[in-house]
């Protein structure tokens, strides 16, 4: 949210974390921690002095949502187990019967977030990427079965 807010309002000028915190109702101390990680990840640069704050280190159409998530050490996974690990989430160490399903979902989430840039978010070009199924492109399997009844 903070990066999208910054992308939508910065106009290339430095933005203070206090501005972002107020606009997004996010704790300033939490933002300070996040932006330190984003800076180390090469996504933002700090500008010191009067009128200082943070600016993007590269154009927003070159910053993918997955880059932001990786920079702040977040993992988006739909499985309890370590993705790709041989040991599973069951008490006996086995992989649960739905492990492959959820691991594949995690892979799809990562691929999707890797395909979306901050510019896409700001320009509202995200909706429709997966909406094809919901907007009549392909029928849902349940709808297909009901139509044949």
């Amino acid at each position: 949210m903070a990066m999208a807010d910054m992308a939508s309002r910065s106009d290339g000028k430095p933005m203070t974390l206090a501005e972002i915190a107020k606009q997004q109702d996010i704790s300033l101390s939490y933002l300070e921690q996040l932006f330190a990680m984003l800076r180390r990840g090469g996504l933002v640069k700090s500008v010191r002095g009067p009128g200082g704050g943070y600016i993007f280190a590269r154009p927003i159409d070159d910053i993918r949502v997955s880059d932001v998530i990786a920079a702040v050490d977040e993992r988006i996974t739909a499985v309890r187990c370590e993705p790709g690990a041989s040991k599973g989430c069951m008490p006996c160490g086995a992989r649960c019967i739905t492990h492959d399903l959820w691991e594949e979902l995690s892979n799809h989430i990562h691929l999707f977030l890797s395909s979306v840039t901050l510019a896409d978010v700001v320009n509202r070009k995200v909706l429709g990427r997966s909406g094809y199924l919901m907007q009549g492109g392909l029928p849902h399997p349940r709808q297909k079965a009901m139509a044949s009844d």
Side-chain angles (χ1 to χ4, degrees):
M1 287 173 47
M3 292 286 279
D5 182 58
M6 188 172 143
S8 68
R9 299 186 312 122
S10 72
D11 296 335
K13 297 176 187 166
M15 287 190 68
T16 67
L17 294 184
E19 291 175 273
I20 298 169
K22 182 178 179 184
Q23 182 71 24
Q24 294 299 317
D25 194 25
I26 301 172
S27 158
L28 180 58
S29 61
Y30 180 61
L31 277 180
E32 288 169 345
Q33 294 171 34
L34 287 178
F35 272 73
M37 291 185 274
L38 293 167
R39 188 175 48 76
R40 283 192 299 272
L43 300 180
V44 296
K45 295 190 270 189
S46 60
V47 177
R48 296 189 181 271
Y54 283 88
I55 59 172
F56 289 103
R58 53 188 208 238
I60 63 171
D61 56 347
D62 287 343
I63 299 175
R64 306 207 171 277
V65 174
S66 60
D67 297 335
V68 176
I69 292 169
V72 296
D73 291 327
E74 284 292 323
R75 282 189 25 198
I76 294 185
T77 180
V79 294
R80 291 186 294 184
C81 319
E82 182 71 28
S86 59
K87 186 175 179 186
C89 60
M90 302 298 289
C92 64
R95 290 167 47 142
C96 64
I97 195 166
T98 59
H99 177 90
D100 292 341
L101 169 72
W102 302 120
E103 187 164 353
E104 188 62 18
L105 175 61
S106 297
N107 292 339
H108 280 277
I109 291 169
H110 179 73
L111 286 171
F112 173 70
L113 295 177
S114 295
S115 75
V116 177
T117 66
L118 280 179
D120 293 332
V121 173
V122 169
N123 295 320
R124 299 188 183 273
K125 292 185 176 179
V126 178
L127 189 61
R129 290 172 184 256
S130 64
Y132 180 71
L133 289 174
M134 303 307 268
Q135 297 172 355
L138 294 174
H140 186 279
R142 201 178 288 161
Q143 291 172 331
K144 196 176 190 179
M146 289 186 317
S148 65
D149 289 343

